[in-house]
Amino acid sequence: MRYLARSVWQLRHLSRVLGAEISSKGLERGWIAPVWISSVSRSLNGSFHYREITGYMNQAVVFMRTLSTSAANDATADAARAGPLMEYEKRIVSGELVDGDCFQLDTLRLLQTLYDQLVEHEDACQLDRYNSSKKSGRSRWLWSRLIPQSSYAPVRGLYLYGGVGTGKTMLMDLFYEQLPSNWRKKRIHFHDFMLNVHSRLQKHKGLADPLEVVAAEISDESILLCLDEFMVTDVADALILNRLFRHLFNKGVVLVSTSNRAPDQLYEGGLQRDLFLPFIETLKERCIAHAIGSSTDYRKMGSAEQGLYLVGNQYGPLLKQKFHSLIGQEKPRPQVVEVVMGRKLQVPLGANGCAYFPFEELCDRPLGAADYFGLFKKFHTLALEGVPKFGLHNRTAAYRFVTLVDVMYENRARLLCTAETPPVELFERIVTVADALKVSPRSSRAPKGDDPDLCVDNQLGFAKDRTISRLTEMNSKEYLEQHEANLHRSSEETHDNGDMLQSRQLVLD
């Protein structure tokens, strides 16, 4: 203890002589000590012997490294004691979450087990971005070509599936938020993830195996990948998923995902599904599939807020009035949004973070998730006029509307709209094959004599419950209050950044 105290005293003494402070961060850099020694020697005109000063500096370095090692050990110990289960209990005590859901508790225990396994195998999984960065890059790429080898992670991931509003996303986010900040991790919506994959494939077009290069890039950035709302509806996605994830798993990626569909039900009824089936086996091999059996839809437990979801197309003028009240003094005008790969989306009216669209211009045109993600990177509120009741005649628009709501919910955007019916009635004419058989046992097709607009579609039939649930939550008081809080926080951050830039400009002037 005296040794450490003496080192601190000597360090402070040198700092006073130089009229500056020595940071512990600086001491750990090998080039700092000689510069300080040289400076001290010149400033004291030889009153201190070089070796004596060197001894002081070395003792200080030992002391600061001891503190750093202790802090690192404490951080590791904290990670070992933490986890999603402990955070869940804290939120129940604070009243933020509802207690008593045994289905969520079962899921949390699995997430806690995965968390503990990842902490235990942190080095083997190369989760620490600072340690793994030394082994990544060109040299690791070269060795992987010279000596091809599989490097599966020592732990299996999780695939959480169940009904809408059962808390899948909340539980995965709870898990993700407890992970150490220095880990290579990413949490992203499945739509956004696949858009990113296709964008990377475009960039590497012409290579022998662009999917392997894309997988290498993704795994270098994130070894732990958390995907929300895993849902395959696009044949282009279905055909590449098996090879993509085989490459990812071979590179040690651990997957945690949520979905409304069990693994065996993914892409059910899709084109060329036989080519997709190997992915299901790959997924079940590398992830533990767990069903959340809760029948409670927590999204519908919020208090309803009347006034933003207007039932009846006669309320178009009122919708425009609400839109203008939100944008304040700013004048709305047509705008253009940049989307991926050079595409652009025309916005009929936009101002102050709010966009106005007739339903036909956003869901009856050939648009997709990429366009909607681009839209909500620029706008936080959408006024949508004329949402129809969906059926066979507008099935494609129904698909786009489902995707639109998913993207809005992921971005926590606010929706004002006029609609033909309440949310629960929008998809009444959309049914699964099983539902159609109950109505007409003779055939899996829609009973034309009963309702010519009945649409039998498994993908939409499963997705509609999620969309109805999300529309209900997005119209709740709690969701809208959170939206306002996010806007306020974003405004304060923008203001602070502006002040900082102004201060820097004054300093430069």
Side-chain angles (χ1 to χ4, degrees):
M1 194 68 193
R2 289 180 182 177
Y3 170 80
L4 293 177
R6 184 166 178 259
S7 297
V8 173
W9 180 88
Q10 290 165 346
L11 179 62
R12 287 178 177 172
H13 180 73
L14 284 174
S15 180
R16 290 194 195 100
V17 170
L18 292 170
E21 292 182 357
I22 300 175
S23 70
S24 61
K25 191 174 182 181
L27 284 171
E28 292 176 356
R29 298 174 182 166
W31 55 269
I32 291 289
V35 175
W36 276 98
I37 292 165
S38 175
S39 175
V40 173
S41 299
R42 287 196 302 273
S43 64
L44 297 179
N45 295 319
S47 60
F48 277 91
H49 193 275
Y50 183 86
R51 289 182 181 176
E52 187 176 356
I53 296 173
T54 304
Y56 291 164
M57 295 302 293
N58 288 339
Q59 291 173 24
V61 168
V62 170
F63 173 63
M64 297 312 296
R65 283 181 178 170
T66 300
L67 291 182
S68 299
T69 302
S70 176
N73 291 338
D74 288 345
T76 303
D78 287 343
R81 289 192 299 266
L85 193 55
M86 183 179 294
E87 181 62 24
Y88 180 79
E89 290 168 354
K90 286 180 183 176
R91 295 188 187 186
I92 286 175
V93 170
S94 67
E96 186 178 342
L97 294 177
V98 179
D99 191 7
D101 193 324
C102 61
F103 299 102
Q104 288 191 354
L105 280 172
D106 288 343
T107 306
L108 271 166
R109 292 187 186 101
L110 281 175
L111 287 166
Q112 183 67 46
T113 299
L114 176 59
Y115 177 92
D116 294 338
Q117 289 175 342
L118 289 170
V119 171
E120 180 184 353
H121 297 285
E122 179 179 359
D123 292 337
C125 292
Q126 297 185 18
L127 284 163
D128 191 320
R129 69 164 59 93
Y130 303 112
N131 288 339
S132 62
S133 63
K134 300 172 185 176
K135 304 173 186 176
S136 64
R138 189 182 297 272
S139 61
R140 189 166 68 181
W141 179 86
L142 179 60
W143 278 111
S144 68
R145 295 303 179 278
L146 294 174
I147 311 174
Q149 57 181 347
S150 173
S151 54
Y152 283 144
V155 299
R156 292 173 70 195
L158 276 175
Y159 181 92
L160 308 176
Y161 67 96
V164 298
T166 52
K168 299 181 298 295
T169 298
M170 181 274 291
L171 294 173
M172 186 180 74
D173 286 345
L174 196 66
F175 164 80
Y176 185 82
E177 289 162 6
Q178 307 314 307
L179 300 172
S181 58
N182 61 313
W183 281 11
R184 290 190 292 156
K185 58 180 180 175
K186 189 178 190 71
R187 188 269 190 214
I188 188 171
H189 193 277
F190 181 74
H191 275 314
D192 209 3
F193 173 73
M194 291 309 300
L195 287 172
N196 182 268
V197 167
H198 286 295
S199 180
R200 291 177 190 254
L201 285 174
Q202 186 73 16
K203 185 174 66 173
H204 297 302
K205 188 165 59 175
L207 296 179
D209 190 355
L211 269 175
E212 184 178 9
V213 178
V214 170
E217 290 178 349
I218 293 172
S219 61
D220 275 345
E221 296 166 6
S222 314
I223 279 292
L224 181 59
L225 193 59
C226 295
L227 297 182
D228 191 29
E229 297 294 350
F230 204 113
M231 182 180 67
V232 187
T233 57
D234 188 278
V235 65
D237 293 345
L239 294 178
I240 67 171
L241 276 175
N242 185 48
R243 287 175 53 227
L244 172 65
F245 273 90
R246 277 201 174 278
H247 285 313
L248 288 172
F249 291 140
N250 280 333
K251 294 177 188 302
V253 167
V254 178
L255 174 67
V256 179
S257 181
T258 69
S259 179
N260 293 134
R261 312 293 296 272
D264 290 323
Q265 293 177 330
L266 286 171
Y267 197 51
E268 197 169 44
L271 293 172
Q272 296 181 287
R273 189 173 187 259
D274 57 320
L275 300 177
F276 177 78
L277 294 178
F279 168 70
I280 295 177
E281 296 307 313
T282 300
L283 182 65
K284 291 194 290 188
E285 177 188 338
R286 294 306 310 160
C287 294
I288 297 170
H290 174 72
I292 303 180
S294 178
S295 59
T296 304
D297 186 345
Y298 287 94
R299 294 188 190 130
K300 294 181 179 178
M301 290 177 64
S303 53
E305 174 73 20
Q306 301 299 322
L308 295 186
Y309 187 103
L310 307 171
V311 179
N313 292 328
Q314 69 272 24
Y315 291 111
L318 179 58
L319 179 72
K320 288 182 179 177
Q321 181 182 331
K322 286 179 176 290
F323 171 73
H324 282 280
S325 69
L326 286 173
I327 63 176
Q329 299 299 318
E330 196 169 331
K331 186 176 179 181
R333 57 182 177 79
Q335 297 189 29
V336 177
V337 171
E338 295 285 342
V339 192
V340 294
M341 292 181 278
R343 290 172 56 188
K344 294 181 180 179
L345 175 65
Q346 304 291 330
V347 180
L349 289 175
N352 198 23
C354 303
Y356 174 87
F357 276 88
F359 177 85
E360 295 79 11
E361 291 196 31
L362 204 54
C363 296
D364 265 345
R365 293 173 54 206
L367 302 176
D371 303 283
Y372 301 147
F373 273 109
L375 178 66
F376 292 105
K377 283 179 181 176
K378 186 170 182 179
F379 297 96
H380 55 71
T381 297
L382 171 65
L384 188 64
E385 183 173 356
V387 179
K389 189 169 184 176
F390 298 108
L392 187 63
H393 76 285
N394 58 1
R395 169 185 169 188
T396 306
Y399 266 106
R400 293 197 187 101
F401 183 69
V402 166
T403 302
L404 173 66
V405 172
D406 283 344
V407 173
M408 290 192 71
Y409 188 83
E410 176 69 14
N411 285 274
R412 312 306 289 177
R414 177 171 51 189
L415 174 67
L416 294 79
C417 71
T418 60
E420 189 177 339
T421 69
V424 72
E425 297 175 20
L426 284 176
F427 296 90
E428 276 185 342
R429 298 190 185 114
I430 307 289
V431 297
T432 63
V433 172
D435 291 334
L437 287 172
K438 292 175 185 176
V439 175
S440 178
R442 295 164 296 173
S443 169
S444 64
R445 299 294 177 185
K448 303 291 184 182
D450 296 338
D451 187 351
D453 200 31
L454 190 69
C455 176
V456 182
D457 188 308
N458 267 352
Q459 295 292 344
L460 270 180
F462 279 104
K464 70 176 184 179
D465 291 336
R466 181 179 73 252
T467 303
I468 293 167
S469 175
R470 287 184 166 181
L471 284 172
T472 304
E473 183 186 355
M474 290 165 70
N475 204 39
S476 70
K477 178 182 177 183
E478 291 79 6
Y479 183 94
L480 295 171
E481 285 177 348
Q482 184 60 50
H483 176 85
E484 288 292 341
N486 292 342
L487 285 184
H488 182 69
R489 183 165 55 251
S490 177
S491 175
E492 286 183 341
E493 289 173 357
T494 303
H495 181 72
D496 292 342
N497 291 337
D499 289 345
M500 189 179 298
L501 288 172
Q502 189 175 6
S503 300
R504 287 178 181 172
Q505 188 62 42
L506 289 172
V507 170
L508 291 173
D509 293 343

